[in-house]
């Protein structure tokens, strides 16, 4: 947690939030996949290379001899899954290491506190400006768990301006989620999903930018209307673990955005300009982008006047913070390893495609979107969700004459929306615990926004299908 965040006292929640061990859950999924190899018949499609990508030949399916996976091979699949997903796992760890160094310079803390004080007498600007900050973080760098450190900072600010705890929580969580859902250049969701689907990295950015604006505005309006009701009548608000006395401490904190911090922010923004240019012009992928973040880590460390030892320590601690998420990617991949060893992925694709072959494409894409929403309730990790479903959804899209880019869009929307309401979402439950907001109260409050965003996603995937959202 940030140093400024520690200045805000809070009372530990009396009720422990519901927790689901994602590794135990994923292991059960792997076991279920093994059992399916004994139940489902084996089969396969022919796959061919077209324009540098592997696609399924729709009419080439044939049944083959069953190859059930035994328990020992299933356990081996855990290691094989991590090996197969090694490139993505190490990419995630490098990004985590960068944020460890970036946070150690104090730049984010100072930026938030400076913006907060400047907006202290302009409360109507607080919600759109701060939510835009977090939305940009969610959309460009997959900010999720990192936002937890700023909940204790934004809640007191919201209270000081006449709002309540839910408003402060929503600014951070719904702001980041608006960006995470539309995922303009989120390396942990769209980046991974497009890699699996063999799409050019961050392609289709135009539609996602439009959706970013739409979802951001809807989220801001939703939070703003509620906040103004509370300001007019504080009795309508919910205050959880916080009170107005704590709020004053934030506005009294003495911090300034120095030249050092401005240079670090400049380097950070320049990095994304170079990244976008490299991806578009030279078709950079994980290795090149990872190298870019390693260079940025060194530059930020030097500007931040961190010693070599501090850079390394903060890099490793930042990577360590994401080790759980990185391992989830590998364990998720193990499910696909088992299904592939049992040769039952293609029969599942064949069964689904045959069942809806004559259904209009619009209904098929809605079904794909609904399926991804259900899966996200079970597996709330964005990267793990992508690793588990996209190896199946990409070839299924080919068979149903749906573009792979549309399949990725249906995944990213379903994944992001679930993060703001599902009790299986770790970041949400941790944030509610910090704020002292019961999940039932939050769920009832946020449900209208969830429905609105779900409908936006539904319309988006239907439009994407209608326009052959691509490049393919």
């Amino acid at each position: 947690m940030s140093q400024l965040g520690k200045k805000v006292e809070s009372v530990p929640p009396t009720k422990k939030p519901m927790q689901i061990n994602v590794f135990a859950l994923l292991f059960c999924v792997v076991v279920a996949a093994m059992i399916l190899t004994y139940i489902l018949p084996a089969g396969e499609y022919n796959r061919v290379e077209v324009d540098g990508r592997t696609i399924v030949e729709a009419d080439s399916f044939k049944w083959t001899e069953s190859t059930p996976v035994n328990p020992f091979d299933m356990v081996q699949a855990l290691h094989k899954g991590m090996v197969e997903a090694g490139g993505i796992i190490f990419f995630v760890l490098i990004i985590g290491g960068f944020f460890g160094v970036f946070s150690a310079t104090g730049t984010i803390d100072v930026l938030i506190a400076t913006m907060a004080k400047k907006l202290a007498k302009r409360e109507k600007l607080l919600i759109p400006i701060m939510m835009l900050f977090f939305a940009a973080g969610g959309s460009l760098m997959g900010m999720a768990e990192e936002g937890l450190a700023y909940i204790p900072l934004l809640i007191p600010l919201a209270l000081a301006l006449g709002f309540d705890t839910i408003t402060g929580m929503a600014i951070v969580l719904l702001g980041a989620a608006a960006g995470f859902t539309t995922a303009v250049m989120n390396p942990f969701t769209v980046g991974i999903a497009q890699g699996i689907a063999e799409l050019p990295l961050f392609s289709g950015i135009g539609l996602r930018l439009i959706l970013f604006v739409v979802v951001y505005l809807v989220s801001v309006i939703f939070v703003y209307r509620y906040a103004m009701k509370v300001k007019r009548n504080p009795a309508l608000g919910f205050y959880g673990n916080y009170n107005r006395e704590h709020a004053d401490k934030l506005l009294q904190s003495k911090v300034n955005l120095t030249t050092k911090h401005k240079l670090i922010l400049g380097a950070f923004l320049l990095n994304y300009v170079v990244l976008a240019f490299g991806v578009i012009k030279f078709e950079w992928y994980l290795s090149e982008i990872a190298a870019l973040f390693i260079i940025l880590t060194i530059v930020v460390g030097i500007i931040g006047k961190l010693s070599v030892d501090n850079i390394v320590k903060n890099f490793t601690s930042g990577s360590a913070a994401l080790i759980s998420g990185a391992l989830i990617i590998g364990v998720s991949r193990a499910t696909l390893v088992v299904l592939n060893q049992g040769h039952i992925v293609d029969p599942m694709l064949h069964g689904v495609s045959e069942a809806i072959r004559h259904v209009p494409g619009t209904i098929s894409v809605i079904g794909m979107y609904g399926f991804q929403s259900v899966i996200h309730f079970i597996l709330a990790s964005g990267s793990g969700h992508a690793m588990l479903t996209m190896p199946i959804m990409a070839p299924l899209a080919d068979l149903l004459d749906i573009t792979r880019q549309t399949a990725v869009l249906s995944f990213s929307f379903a994944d992001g929306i679930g993060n703001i309401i599902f009790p299986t979402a770790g970041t949400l439950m941790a944030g509610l615990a910090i704020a002292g907001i019961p999940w039932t109260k939050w769920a009832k409050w946020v449900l209208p926004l969830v429905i609105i965003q779900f409908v936006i996603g539904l319309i988006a995937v239907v439009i994407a299908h209608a326009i052959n959202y691509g490049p393919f």
Side-chain angles (χ1 to χ4, degrees), residues 72-89:
F72 186 67
D73 286 340
M74 178 204 72
V75 176
Q76 288 187 75
L78 297 172
H79 174 261
K80 291 178 180 178
M82 292 182 188
V83 171
E84 289 186 11
I88 296 173
I89 289 172

Side-chain angles (χ1 to χ4, degrees), residues 289-300:
I289 296 174
L292 199 59
F293 273 96
I294 291 173
I295 294 169
L296 180 62
T297 300
I298 296 170
V299 171
V300 166

Side-chain angles (χ1 to χ4, degrees), residues 71-147:
F72 186 67
D73 286 340
M74 178 204 72
V75 176
Q76 288 187 75
L78 297 172
H79 174 261
K80 291 178 180 178
M82 292 182 188
V83 171
E84 289 186 11
I88 296 173
I89 289 172
F90 282 105
F91 175 71
V92 168
L93 294 179
I94 288 171
I95 297 293
F98 160 71
F99 282 112
V101 175
F102 191 38
S103 297
T105 65
T107 303
I108 298 179
D109 291 347
V110 174
L111 178 63
I112 290 286
T114 301
M115 291 174 68
K117 288 194 290 184
K118 288 184 180 296
L119 294 171
K121 295 181 181 179
R122 303 171 185 171
E123 67 272 14
K124 291 185 178 180
L125 296 176
L126 171 73
I127 293 170
I129 291 178
M130 297 306 293
M131 286 187 71
L132 180 60
F133 173 83
F134 289 109
S139 203
L140 296 177
M141 54 188 182
M143 177 183 284
E145 291 88 350
E146 298 85 353

